[in-house]
Amino acid sequence: MPTWPSEPRGTPGRGPRHSDVAVIGAGPAGMSAAVAAAQAGCSVTVLDLGERPGGQYWRWGPASDGRFHHGWPAFRALRDSFGGHQAAGRIVHLAGHAVFHVDPPPAGEGPGVSSRFTVRAVAGERERGYAAVEASAVVVATGAYERQLPVPGWTLPGVMAAGAAQALLKGSAVVAGHRVVVAGTGPFLMPVAAGLAQAGARVAAVVEANQPLSYLRQPLDLARSWRKLPEAAGYLARLARHRVPVLCRHAVVAAHGDGRLRSVTVARLDPAWALVPGSQRTLDADVLAVGYGFIPQVELLGEAGAQLRRGQDGRTFAAEAGADQQTSVPGLFAAGETTGIGGADLSCLEGQVAGRAAARHCGHQVRPAGPAIIRRRAALRRFGALLDAVHPVPPGWTTWLTGDTIVCRCEEVTLARLLAAVDLGADDARSAKLVARPGMGWCQGRICGAAVAAIVAGHRRSGRPEGGDLDFAESVVSRPLAQPVPLEVLAEAAQERANRDMAGTPDHL
Amino acid sequence: MSASHHRDVVVIGAGIVGAACCYYLARAGLKVAVIERGAVAAGTTGAGEGNILVSDKEPGPELELAQVSIRLWRQLGDELGPDAELEPKGGLVVAAGPEERQQLDEFAAAQAVAGVEVRTVGPSGLRDLEPHLADGLAGGVLYPEDMQVQPMMAAALMLRAARDLGAELRLHEEVTAIETAAGRVAGVRTSTGGLSAGLVVNAAGTWAGELAARAGLALPVLPRRGFIVVTEPLPRMIRHKVYTADYVANVASGSAGLEISAVVEATASGTVLIGASRERVGFDRTSSMKIVGTLAAQAIRLFPVLAGVRAIRFYRGFRPYCPDHLPVIGSDARLPGLLHACGHEGAGVGLAPATGHLIAQIATGQTAPVSLAPFDPGRFEEPARA
Amino acid sequence: MPEQPAPCPNVDITVDGAGWSVPAGSSIAAAFVARGHPGWRLTRRRAEPRGLGCGMGVCFDCLVTVNGTRGVRACLTDVREGDVITTERGSGFADLAI
C-alpha cells in the first residue's frame, strides 16, 4: 500500500486556499462528505490531523491488509473514490493539519455561497506552519475520543485507551504488550479484545462494567438492528476461541506497577458502581486497554456558534444537526460522531448527507436525502442510543479513588487538591478549574473534564443545584483554540487578516 | 427578620475585592456575610493575571492606594501561605526607542518623587535582567516592588481566613434587592431569602453598576474587555512582569476602540500569560483571532524565543472601569449604609487589600489612611446648584 | 483472498543518541512500544513516566522532541529516515530555562 499523497505542509506566505467546501476530519464521515461534495461538483479541501485518511476507525499503515480492520472493502472503495477525486483536482487533502479555529462568516453577511468561513490550522505536527482555507460551506467531522475514568495508578505507562491499543495494531502492526486486560464499558471493548487476541496477545480478561444483556429488555429496537447481531456474536465467538474470560459488572479499580504497569485490581460493582467489598482480585497485565464510551469532539462547532445539546449523562455535548446535517449556523454542517456516538456506518451515511447538503448550499443542483436514507439514519441513530442506554457511567466510580489519585494528568492535580479547592468555595466545575487547575494543561480538560465535573458535583455541600449549562460548558467544552498553536502561527493568522483588510476585503474578526 | 438573619455587614461579591473586604471586616470584629451568585472568583477575578503593580500608576490617588496595598499584600502573603503563589518578582518596563525611553524616564522620575522604588536600566543591562529579551531595545525601568499572585486562590484563601474568624460565605445566591428602612440600608433580599444588615458593600465588580441600579442608584461602572493568551507550561524563562512603555497610555485612554500593548509574564504553574488589550464592546464574548494574533506577535517581538512556543488557550475578561479610571470606594451619600468597593478596572487584584482595609475603617468609624475623596461614589453626579 | 502486504523497508532513526531501525509507516509511539518502552517522557512536576495514552492526539502524554521541534505527539507522527528524537521532561524546553 503506497504512502498517501498529500499537499506539502505550510508553505509560508501562501495566503488562504479557497474552495467551495472545507471538510474537517478524514474519518468515515469526513471522507464520505468529501466524496459526496466532490461528486456533486464542488471543490473540496479536507483538513485532517492524521498522516493518512481513515480517521480512527480505519487507521492503517503500509503493512495493513485488512486483517485487523472492519469494513475493509468499504474503506478501500471509499479511499479509491477519494483518491480519484484527488487526482482530478476536486479534492485537496491537507494531511497532518490541526484545525484550531473556524471563523463563521462576518456578521451582516446573509447565508449563501458568497459568505465565507475561514478554517485555520497548524500545518504539520513537525513543521508547525500556518494554513487557512476559505469555504462557503464547512463540514465538521472531527469524530470522538474515549472517555477515561481516573483510578489509582492509571497514569502508569502501559495503561492506555482501548483505541490506542487498536491504533497500534491497525496503524503500525504493533501489539501493545504481552498480557492485556481490556476494560471499561461499551461495545467497543469486544472488537479491541478480539483484534488483540487474533494478533497473538494474551488477553487476560475483558472487564465490562455494565450488564449488556439488558439489550434483551428492548427487543423492538434490537429487532430493528438485527444486522448488528452477527457482528457481536462473531466477537464473542472469537474471544471464546482464544479463551478470553468476559466479566460483566466488573471494573478495573486500580493499576499497579513500578514505572510501568505490572498488574491491575478487578472488582465487582454494585448498580451504582461502588465496588463490592471483598470482591477484589489481582490480574497480572502489562497493558490495560481501557475506555468508558466516547465523547464527541465539538469544540470547533461550539466556538463557531453552533447549538450543542447535552448527552444522556449530562456531561458530554453533541452538535444539533437537522435532516441535512446542517447545524444552527447556516453553511456549517456536522457529520459522524460529532452529532452523537453512533458508529462507522452512521458516520458514512451522515457524511454523505452532509456532503450533498454542503454542495446544495454552494449552489449545486443536488436532491436532498431521500426517505430510504432518512429511515436508515434514524434506525442507526436509534441503535446508537440503545447502546448508549445500556452502557451508562454512574458516578459511583468516584469512590474508587484515593486522595493521592491523579485526576488531571496534564497538570498532575490529585483528588485531594481538587477537593481542597471545592472546600475553599470553588464548588462548581469552572471555579474548581481556575483554583486547582485541572483542565489547564495541554489537553485543556478533554481527558479529565467530565471526571472533574462529576467529582465536584459529588463533593460540594448537598442541596446545591448543579451549575447551569454555561458554567459546565464553559469549563469543559468551550475551547477557543481547539489545538495548541505556535505563537508565530497566531501572529501570521492576524497578519494575513490585516493584509486582506488593507486590500479591501471585508473585515472578519 | 429574626436575629439569626442579622449581620453587621453584607458584602456582595466574592471576587478578590469582596474577599478582601470580608477579610478585613472580619478581622475588625464585625459579623460579615459574603453573598455571591456564582462560585468564588466567578467574575473578573477568574480572568485576572494576578497583577500587584505600582509601575503602571502615575503619581496621584491610585498610586497612593497601590502603595498602601502592596504593603498589605506582603503581610497577606505570609498569612495566606504558599498556595497563594505571591511572588515579589518585580516589573520591568521597556522602551522600544529613544523617544519612548525619555518619556519613560520622566514618568519614572515623577513616580520616584512619590516614593516608588525605581531603577533605570540601560540597553545592555536589560539582558542581565531578562536573558531572553530581544536585542535592540532602548532600555527600561525596573520596579522591584511589583508582585504577582494567583488571584483565584488568594480570594478563596482570604475567604477561608475570614470564615475562621466567623464570617459566612454564601455562594450561588443572588442579591435581588437592597432593602431600606427610614432612608437607610436595612439589608438585602436574595434568590433564596434575605439578610438584615446595617451596612452593605457593593463589591460586584463589572456588575456593580447593575447592582446599584437595583437600589435605584446610578453608578457608571462599565466593562472593558481584555484578552489574555496562555502558553503551554514552560520552565522559568521570564523572570519579571515585562511590558512596553505604551501600556500606561493605553490604560489611561478614554478611547472606545482597541488599545493594545505588549505584556508578558510567567506564572508559578509554568504558563506564560500574554496581554494586553482593552476595548469597550460591552459584554461581547466572541473571540477575536485578530487581537489574539496581534498579542502573540507583540510577545514574540519582546521575546523571540516565544515564536515556537504554543498557545494552548486564550480567554477574555471584562474589567470594571469608571469614566475617570479610578475605583469607587466609600459611602454612598444617596443611601446611608451603602458602601461601594468596585470599579478597579485592571488593578483589582493589586488594590484589593487597601480597598478592604478602607472599607473596614469606614465600617468601624476610624480614619482612613488615604483621602477617600478621589474615590467618592458621588463624584459622578452633576454638582447641585447652589 | 487477502492481499500480501508489501514488504516494509525500515528507516534508521536516532533516539536519545541510540540508533534504531524501525519499519516505515510506524508511528514514533509504536516504535517505542514495539521495543518494550511503554513510557518515554517524564512529567514536569512529579517526574513520573508517561507514554502512549489516547493514541490519537488528544491527551498530549506521548510528547517527544523531533529534529529540534518540541512537544511533538508521537502517536500522530510517523518515523522518517534520519529523524533525531530526544525524550522530554514536561514539554522539552529545559535547555531554555534561566
Side-chain angles (χ1 to χ4, degrees), chain B residues 14 29 70 93 98 107 117 123 126 146 161 178 186 189 209 238 294 318 322 350 365:
Chain B
I70 278 202
V93 185
F107 187 73
E117 195 183 336
L126 286 177
D146 279 358
I178 296 177
R189 200 160 58 236
I238 295 170
T294 306
F318 297 94
C322 293

Side-chain angles (χ1 to χ4, degrees), chain C:
Chain C
M1 175 76 165
E3 62 176 46
Q4 284 298 101
C8 290
N10 277 17
V11 297
D12 290 320
I13 64 174
T14 317
V15 179
D16 285 345
W20 288 9
S21 182
V22 179
S26 169
S27 69
I28 295 175
F32 276 101
V33 172
R35 283 176 168 254
H37 302 296
W40 54 84
R41 175 176 157 260
L42 293 181
T43 60
R44 79 183 188 283
R45 287 193 211 279
R46 299 174 155 215
E48 287 178 349
R50 299 282 174 88
L52 185 64
C54 69
M56 53 180 286
V58 169
C59 78
F60 293 86
D61 257 351
C62 64
L63 306 177
V64 286
T65 297
V66 180
N67 303 332
T69 303
R70 299 171 175 90
V72 173
R73 287 172 280 189
C75 68
L76 289 180
T77 310
D78 281 0
V79 294
R80 285 187 202 164
E81 181 70 40
D83 274 344
V84 176
I85 294 171
T86 48
T87 58
E88 298 178 350
R89 176 158 176 184
S91 67
F93 284 89
D95 57 310
L96 292 177
I98 55 177

Side-chain angles (χ1 to χ4, degrees), chain B residues 157-169:
Chain B
L157 292 168
M158 275 194 269
L159 287 166
R160 184 175 68 185
R163 279 147 76 201
D164 289 345
L165 292 168
E168 187 193 357
L169 173 64

Side-chain angles (χ1 to χ4, degrees), chain A residues 427 430-431 444 464 485 487 501, chain B residues 40 42 172 290 309 311 313:
Chain A
D427 67 351
R430 177 180 173 268
S431 193
Q444 289 294 291
R464 245 262 300 127
V485 186
L487 291 172
D501 289 348
Chain B
V40 169
H172 309 284
K290 202 158 142 191
V309 167
R313 70 183 191 112

